[in-house]
Amino acid sequence: MGKKILVTGGTGYIGSHTVVELQESGFDVVIVDNLSNSRIEVLDNIEKITGIRPEFEKFDLADADLTDSFFQNHKDIEAVIHFAAFKAVGESVEKPLMYYRNNLNSLMNLLDGMGRYGVKHLVFSSSCTVYGQPDKLPVTEQTPRKEAESPYGNTKAVSEDIMRDFAKVNPEQNLIALRYFNPIGAHPSALIGELPVGVPNNLVPYITQTAAGVREELSIFGDDYDTPDGTAIRDFINVVDLAKAHVVAINRLMNGRNKNNYEYFNVGTGEGVSVMQLVKTFIKVTGVNLKYKIVGRREGDIEKIWADTSYANKELGWKAEKTLEETLLSAWNWEKRIRGIE
Ligand code: UFG
C-alpha cells in the first residue's frame, strides 16, 4: 500500500495526468470530482495506462458538510492536490460570484478538513495569471504580482493569499502553490488529454480541432504585439512534465524538504514561444495543412510572458523535459484518437 493522496479535480485535464504520474510513482489515489467539466470514463483510461483504478467520489467540494464527511471517512489521506476549480476566463467575467464561490469555498473547505483531520500537505494549482503583464521578463517567483485581469485570475491570487495566511497560523501544515504557465499536449498513450466542452478557448485545442475538421479555421488573435513576429508569446509546458512537478512537490512536503510552510514555484519551460511559431511547429510535425487567419487582439490577453524556472529547477530538482515538437504531436495524437482519425 502506498501513501494515499486526495486529488481533487482528478478526472480533469491536468488532474488526470497527475493521477497517472502519482500511481506510477507508487502512491494510492482517491479522486474527488463533481464531473462538472470532465467525464467518468477518464477513470477507465487511467486504469488502462497504469493498471490501477483510482478510488473515486463524486461530490462538490464547495459543500462544507460533504467535504467534512469525506475526510471523516478517509482518515488514511496524507496529502491533497487541489485542481478542482472553474477555469474559463470569459465566463468568470460574466459570473464572478459563481467563480469566487466555487474556487474559494472549495479551497477553504479543504483547508478546514485538513486541519480538522490532521492532513498536513497541500499542493495547489495556481497560475502565471497572478503576474499579469510583467514589467520584466522572464518572471521569477519574486516578480511582483499584479492585479488580476479577470475574476478567474483573481481567484488564483486570493487562493494564494488564503494559503499564505493559513500557513502562518498553522505551522504544522505545509502548502505549495505551483504557478503553471500554459499547459498543453496529452499523455503519450493518447488515452487521456484535454477535452474542452464546446468551442475551445485555448490555443492548442483550437488548433487540433481545426486540424481534425471540427472547426473551420484558426483565428490568431493579433499580430501587432511588440514581439519578433508580432504574435503573443507564452511558455507552453507539456502536461506530463507539469504532472510530474506535482509528484515532486508532494515528495518535497512528505520528506520535509520544504524551506517554509508556504512555498510557491513557477512551473514552465523557461522558453517563450510565439503563437505563430507554435502554429508553424504544429504544421511541420503533423504535416496537416492547418487553415488560419490573423484577426484582432483578444480582449484581456497579455502580450508576452515566460518563466524563469531556475528556482523550481534548483529547489525541486525538477525540469520540463519534453520538446515542443513531441508535445504538439501528443496533442494531435489525442485529438485523432477521440475523433477516430487514422
Ligand atoms: N490564441 C489565438 N487563437 C485562439 C486561442 C488563443 O490566437 O483561438 C492566442 C491567445 O490570444 C494567446 C495565446 O494564443 O495569445 C494563448 O492563449 P490561450 O487561451 O491558450 O492561453 P492564455 O495564455 O490566454 O490562458 C492561460 C490559461 C488561463 C489563464 C491565462 C492567464 O489557459 O487559465 O493564461 O493569462 F488565466
Side-chain angles (χ1 to χ4, degrees):
M1 286 276 286
K3 296 187 167 172
K4 185 167 285 182
I5 316 289
L6 162 60
V7 180
T8 79
T11 50
Y13 174 44
I14 307 172
S16 59
H17 288 82
T18 302
V19 171
V20 165
E21 296 306 316
L22 285 167
Q23 294 192 156
E24 289 188 338
S25 305
F27 289 102
D28 291 340
V29 172
V30 51
I31 294 175
V32 169
D33 203 304
N34 65 0
L35 299 177
S36 65
N37 194 22
S38 61
R39 292 151 162 264
I40 191 77
E41 290 77 26
V42 169
L43 298 180
D44 300 333
N45 291 329
I46 292 174
E47 188 176 357
K48 276 188 200 148
I49 297 170
T50 63
I52 305 162
R53 194 174 186 83
E55 263 182 73
F56 176 80
E57 288 212 20
K58 177 173 184 265
F59 73 92
D60 197 331
L61 292 151
D63 184 318
D65 292 340
L66 292 178
T67 306
D68 186 85
S69 356
F70 172 82
F71 277 107
Q72 175 133 38
N73 295 327
H74 291 80
K75 298 229 170 87
D76 52 347
I77 289 170
E78 297 196 29
V80 180
I81 307 183
H82 181 37
F83 294 104
F86 292 154
K87 63 170 186 178
V89 176
E91 184 184 48
S92 79
V93 176
E94 301 301 319
K95 300 173 181 167
L97 297 186
M98 182 174 114
Y99 270 67
Y100 287 116
R101 194 172 289 126
N102 185 66
N103 292 5
L104 300 180
N105 282 344
S106 59
L107 173 66
M108 292 188 289
N109 290 341
L110 279 169
L111 290 171
D112 261 342
M114 290 172 61
R116 223 173 272 140
Y117 297 95
V119 181
K120 296 203 159 37
H121 314 297
L122 175 77
V123 176
F124 175 74
S125 301
S126 189
S127 166
C128 69
T129 194
V130 301
Y131 297 115
Q133 176 61 66
D135 300 326
K136 221 177 114 211
L137 286 163
V139 284
T140 72
E141 286 78 357
Q142 269 60 60
T143 299
R145 290 184 348 190
K146 285 200 174 158
E147 195 174 330
E149 300 270 347
S150 68
Y152 158 77
N154 203 30
T155 67
K156 294 299 175 189
V158 175
S159 293
E160 287 191 352
D161 295 345
I162 291 173
M163 290 172 69
R164 179 201 59 209
D165 296 345
F166 178 82
K168 230 179 263 171
V169 291
N170 292 281
E172 72 292 350
Q173 303 275 358
N174 298 300
L175 319 175
I176 289 181
L178 298 178
R179 292 175 174 167
Y180 313 154
F181 284 68
N182 288 53
I184 61 166
H187 193 267
S189 64
L191 286 166
I192 52 173
E194 191 171 6
L195 201 63
V197 177
V199 182
N201 288 312
N202 297 115
L203 179 61
V204 170
Y206 209 102
I207 291 177
T208 55
Q209 288 196 9
T210 306
V214 181
R215 310 281 154 211
E216 187 71 26
E217 188 174 20
L218 169 75
S219 295
I220 294 181
F221 300 134
D223 69 348
D224 56 352
Y225 284 112
D226 182 18
T227 61
D229 65 22
T231 63
I233 293 179
R234 296 288 184 276
D235 183 333
F236 297 97
I237 175 164
N238 183 293
V239 68
V240 175
D241 280 336
L242 174 58
K244 287 181 173 160
H246 294 79
V247 179
V248 170
I250 282 288
N251 279 321
R252 178 180 178 86
L253 294 179
M254 287 189 157
N255 298 325
R257 288 198 299 263
N258 48 312
K259 289 202 162 141
N260 297 298
N261 75 329
Y262 170 56
E263 298 184 301
Y264 45 94
F265 297 97
N266 285 344
V267 187
T269 66
E271 299 265 337
V273 170
S274 78
V275 172
M276 188 56 91
Q277 266 176 298
L278 184 138
V279 166
K280 290 200 167 143
T281 308
F282 181 85
I283 294 171
K284 190 183 78 196
V285 294
T286 61
V288 174
N289 182 19
L290 186 80
K291 249 181 102 182
Y292 65 84
K293 62 173 180 223
I294 310 281
V295 301
R297 294 181 182 192
R298 182 171 71 178
E299 207 190 310
D301 271 348
I302 60 161
E303 182 168 85
K304 50 191 167 192
I305 188 165
W306 63 94
D308 180 330
T309 58
S310 42
Y311 185 67
N313 296 160
K314 181 171 143 274
E315 273 300 314
L316 297 175
W318 165 92
K319 201 173 181 324
E321 279 165 359
K322 306 219 186 244
T323 63
L324 182 64
E325 282 79 2
E326 68 182 305
T327 301
L328 290 174
L329 210 47
S330 73
W332 179 225
N333 287 337
W334 156 252
E335 188 75 51
K336 281 199 295 188
R337 190 184 74 76
I338 60 175
R339 306 285 168 196
I341 299 170
E342 278 309 308

PDB file of all heavy atoms in Angstrom, residues 1-19:
ATOM      1  N   MET A   1       0.828  -1.207   0.000  1.00  0.00           N
ATOM      2  CA  MET A   1       0.000   0.000   0.000  1.00  0.00           C
ATOM      3  C   MET A   1       0.864   1.259   0.000  1.00  0.00           C
ATOM      4  O   MET A   1       1.755   1.408   0.828  1.00  0.00           O
ATOM      5  CB  MET A   1      -0.875   0.022   1.259  1.00  0.00           C
ATOM      6  CG  MET A   1      -2.032  -0.948   1.232  1.00  0.00           C
ATOM      7  SD  MET A   1      -3.457  -0.259   0.378  1.00  0.00           S
ATOM      8  CE  MET A   1      -4.035   0.928   1.620  1.00  0.00           C
ATOM      9  N   GLY A   2       0.561   2.149  -0.934  1.00  0.00           N
ATOM     10  CA  GLY A   2       1.309   3.402  -0.973  1.00  0.00           C
ATOM     11  C   GLY A   2       0.659   4.436  -0.065  1.00  0.00           C
ATOM     12  O   GLY A   2      -0.378   4.178   0.554  1.00  0.00           O
ATOM     13  N   LYS A   3       1.280   5.574   0.009  1.00  0.00           N
ATOM     14  CA  LYS A   3       0.651   6.665   0.756  1.00  0.00           C
ATOM     15  C   LYS A   3      -0.513   7.210  -0.049  1.00  0.00           C
ATOM     16  O   LYS A   3      -0.431   7.295  -1.278  1.00  0.00           O
ATOM     17  CB  LYS A   3       1.685   7.763   0.988  1.00  0.00           C
ATOM     18  CG  LYS A   3       2.818   7.264   1.851  1.00  0.00           C
ATOM     19  CD  LYS A   3       3.774   8.357   2.235  1.00  0.00           C
ATOM     20  CE  LYS A   3       4.663   7.824   3.342  1.00  0.00           C
ATOM     21  NZ  LYS A   3       5.747   8.706   3.685  1.00  0.00           N
ATOM     22  N   LYS A   4      -1.567   7.579   0.652  1.00  0.00           N
ATOM     23  CA  LYS A   4      -2.764   7.987  -0.088  1.00  0.00           C
ATOM     24  C   LYS A   4      -2.861   9.491  -0.293  1.00  0.00           C
ATOM     25  O   LYS A   4      -2.739  10.273   0.658  1.00  0.00           O
ATOM     26  CB  LYS A   4      -4.027   7.469   0.612  1.00  0.00           C
ATOM     27  CG  LYS A   4      -5.270   7.782  -0.226  1.00  0.00           C
ATOM     28  CD  LYS A   4      -6.484   7.051   0.215  1.00  0.00           C
ATOM     29  CE  LYS A   4      -6.452   5.589  -0.192  1.00  0.00           C
ATOM     30  NZ  LYS A   4      -7.695   4.909   0.225  1.00  0.00           N
ATOM     31  N   ILE A   5      -3.112   9.858  -1.544  1.00  0.00           N
ATOM     32  CA  ILE A   5      -3.235  11.265  -1.905  1.00  0.00           C
ATOM     33  C   ILE A   5      -4.653  11.533  -2.401  1.00  0.00           C
ATOM     34  O   ILE A   5      -5.161  10.798  -3.259  1.00  0.00           O
ATOM     35  CB  ILE A   5      -2.271  11.638  -3.074  1.00  0.00           C
ATOM     36  CG1 ILE A   5      -0.869  11.045  -2.884  1.00  0.00           C
ATOM     37  CG2 ILE A   5      -2.220  13.160  -3.263  1.00  0.00           C
ATOM     38  CD1 ILE A   5      -0.048  11.653  -1.801  1.00  0.00           C
ATOM     39  N   LEU A   6      -5.262  12.585  -1.872  1.00  0.00           N
ATOM     40  CA  LEU A   6      -6.542  13.053  -2.413  1.00  0.00           C
ATOM     41  C   LEU A   6      -6.242  13.996  -3.581  1.00  0.00           C
ATOM     42  O   LEU A   6      -5.505  14.972  -3.420  1.00  0.00           O
ATOM     43  CB  LEU A   6      -7.321  13.816  -1.324  1.00  0.00           C
ATOM     44  CG  LEU A   6      -8.467  14.724  -1.807  1.00  0.00           C
ATOM     45  CD1 LEU A   6      -9.533  13.937  -2.564  1.00  0.00           C
ATOM     46  CD2 LEU A   6      -9.091  15.465  -0.615  1.00  0.00           C
ATOM     47  N   VAL A   7      -6.783  13.657  -4.752  1.00  0.00           N
ATOM     48  CA  VAL A   7      -6.618  14.534  -5.911  1.00  0.00           C
ATOM     49  C   VAL A   7      -7.993  15.086  -6.267  1.00  0.00           C
ATOM     50  O   VAL A   7      -8.861  14.360  -6.766  1.00  0.00           O
ATOM     51  CB  VAL A   7      -5.999  13.790  -7.118  1.00  0.00           C
ATOM     52  CG1 VAL A   7      -5.835  14.748  -8.298  1.00  0.00           C
ATOM     53  CG2 VAL A   7      -4.649  13.187  -6.750  1.00  0.00           C
ATOM     54  N   THR A   8      -8.211  16.361  -5.987  1.00  0.00           N
ATOM     55  CA  THR A   8      -9.488  16.965  -6.354  1.00  0.00           C
ATOM     56  C   THR A   8      -9.405  17.387  -7.821  1.00  0.00           C
ATOM     57  O   THR A   8      -8.335  17.810  -8.280  1.00  0.00           O
ATOM     58  CB  THR A   8      -9.818  18.190  -5.475  1.00  0.00           C
ATOM     59  OG1 THR A   8      -9.064  19.305  -5.952  1.00  0.00           O
ATOM     60  CG2 THR A   8      -9.513  17.946  -3.996  1.00  0.00           C
ATOM     61  N   GLY A   9     -10.489  17.225  -8.543  1.00  0.00           N
ATOM     62  CA  GLY A   9     -10.433  17.527  -9.971  1.00  0.00           C
ATOM     63  C   GLY A   9      -9.583  16.505 -10.723  1.00  0.00           C
ATOM     64  O   GLY A   9      -9.033  16.794 -11.785  1.00  0.00           O
ATOM     65  N   GLY A  10      -9.526  15.309 -10.182  1.00  0.00           N
ATOM     66  CA  GLY A  10      -8.624  14.289 -10.741  1.00  0.00           C
ATOM     67  C   GLY A  10      -9.072  13.684 -12.056  1.00  0.00           C
ATOM     68  O   GLY A  10      -8.312  12.932 -12.671  1.00  0.00           O
ATOM     69  N   THR A  11     -10.317  13.966 -12.475  1.00  0.00           N
ATOM     70  CA  THR A  11     -10.718  13.486 -13.808  1.00  0.00           C
ATOM     71  C   THR A  11     -10.541  14.580 -14.862  1.00  0.00           C
ATOM     72  O   THR A  11     -10.809  14.353 -16.034  1.00  0.00           O
ATOM     73  CB  THR A  11     -12.183  12.983 -13.822  1.00  0.00           C
ATOM     74  OG1 THR A  11     -12.999  13.977 -13.218  1.00  0.00           O
ATOM     75  CG2 THR A  11     -12.322  11.678 -13.056  1.00  0.00           C
ATOM     76  N   GLY A  12     -10.102  15.750 -14.443  1.00  0.00           N
ATOM     77  CA  GLY A  12      -9.880  16.850 -15.397  1.00  0.00           C
ATOM     78  C   GLY A  12      -8.567  16.698 -16.155  1.00  0.00           C
ATOM     79  O   GLY A  12      -7.871  15.686 -16.042  1.00  0.00           O
ATOM     80  N   TYR A  13      -8.257  17.732 -16.906  1.00  0.00           N
ATOM     81  CA  TYR A  13      -7.101  17.665 -17.813  1.00  0.00           C
ATOM     82  C   TYR A  13      -5.777  17.470 -17.054  1.00  0.00           C
ATOM     83  O   TYR A  13      -5.117  16.436 -17.182  1.00  0.00           O
ATOM     84  CB  TYR A  13      -7.080  18.948 -18.654  1.00  0.00           C
ATOM     85  CG  TYR A  13      -5.879  19.133 -19.547  1.00  0.00           C
ATOM     86  CD1 TYR A  13      -5.375  18.082 -20.324  1.00  0.00           C
ATOM     87  CD2 TYR A  13      -5.250  20.373 -19.635  1.00  0.00           C
ATOM     88  CE1 TYR A  13      -4.279  18.277 -21.161  1.00  0.00           C
ATOM     89  CE2 TYR A  13      -4.165  20.577 -20.471  1.00  0.00           C
ATOM     90  CZ  TYR A  13      -3.680  19.525 -21.227  1.00  0.00           C
ATOM     91  OH  TYR A  13      -2.603  19.728 -22.038  1.00  0.00           O
ATOM     92  N   ILE A  14      -5.401  18.423 -16.225  1.00  0.00           N
ATOM     93  CA  ILE A  14      -4.107  18.293 -15.533  1.00  0.00           C
ATOM     94  C   ILE A  14      -4.217  17.236 -14.436  1.00  0.00           C
ATOM     95  O   ILE A  14      -3.297  16.459 -14.197  1.00  0.00           O
ATOM     96  CB  ILE A  14      -3.649  19.654 -14.960  1.00  0.00           C
ATOM     97  CG1 ILE A  14      -3.664  20.715 -16.072  1.00  0.00           C
ATOM     98  CG2 ILE A  14      -2.260  19.550 -14.361  1.00  0.00           C
ATOM     99  CD1 ILE A  14      -3.413  22.138 -15.588  1.00  0.00           C
ATOM    100  N   GLY A  15      -5.388  17.191 -13.783  1.00  0.00           N
ATOM    101  CA  GLY A  15      -5.603  16.227 -12.702  1.00  0.00           C
ATOM    102  C   GLY A  15      -5.399  14.785 -13.157  1.00  0.00           C
ATOM    103  O   GLY A  15      -4.708  14.009 -12.492  1.00  0.00           O
ATOM    104  N   SER A  16      -5.968  14.425 -14.301  1.00  0.00           N
ATOM    105  CA  SER A  16      -5.872  13.032 -14.744  1.00  0.00           C
ATOM    106  C   SER A  16      -4.420  12.653 -15.052  1.00  0.00           C
ATOM    107  O   SER A  16      -3.976  11.547 -14.720  1.00  0.00           O
ATOM    108  CB  SER A  16      -6.763  12.789 -15.967  1.00  0.00           C
ATOM    109  OG  SER A  16      -6.395  13.644 -17.035  1.00  0.00           O
ATOM    110  N   HIS A  17      -3.673  13.575 -15.648  1.00  0.00           N
ATOM    111  CA  HIS A  17      -2.259  13.276 -15.926  1.00  0.00           C
ATOM    112  C   HIS A  17      -1.473  13.141 -14.621  1.00  0.00           C
ATOM    113  O   HIS A  17      -0.553  12.329 -14.525  1.00  0.00           O
ATOM    114  CB  HIS A  17      -1.645  14.362 -16.820  1.00  0.00           C
ATOM    115  CG  HIS A  17      -2.146  14.301 -18.231  1.00  0.00           C
ATOM    116  ND1 HIS A  17      -3.349  14.847 -18.623  1.00  0.00           N
ATOM    117  CD2 HIS A  17      -1.630  13.724 -19.346  1.00  0.00           C
ATOM    118  CE1 HIS A  17      -3.545  14.622 -19.913  1.00  0.00           C
ATOM    119  NE2 HIS A  17      -2.517  13.945 -20.376  1.00  0.00           N
ATOM    120  N   THR A  18      -1.855  13.919 -13.625  1.00  0.00           N
ATOM    121  CA  THR A  18      -1.154  13.844 -12.340  1.00  0.00           C
ATOM    122  C   THR A  18      -1.488  12.537 -11.618  1.00  0.00           C
ATOM    123  O   THR A  18      -0.607  11.922 -11.008  1.00  0.00           O
ATOM    124  CB  THR A  18      -1.503  15.075 -11.476  1.00  0.00           C
ATOM    125  OG1 THR A  18      -1.121  16.239 -12.213  1.00  0.00           O
ATOM    126  CG2 THR A  18      -0.782  15.051 -10.144  1.00  0.00           C
ATOM    127  N   VAL A  19      -2.748  12.088 -11.716  1.00  0.00           N
ATOM    128  CA  VAL A  19      -3.119  10.811 -11.105  1.00  0.00           C
ATOM    129  C   VAL A  19      -2.257   9.688 -11.694  1.00  0.00           C
ATOM    130  O   VAL A  19      -1.735   8.831 -10.971  1.00  0.00           O
ATOM    131  CB  VAL A  19      -4.630  10.524 -11.299  1.00  0.00           C
ATOM    132  CG1 VAL A  19      -4.976   9.096 -10.870  1.00  0.00           C
ATOM    133  CG2 VAL A  19      -5.464  11.533 -10.519  1.00  0.00           C
TER     134      VAL A  19
END
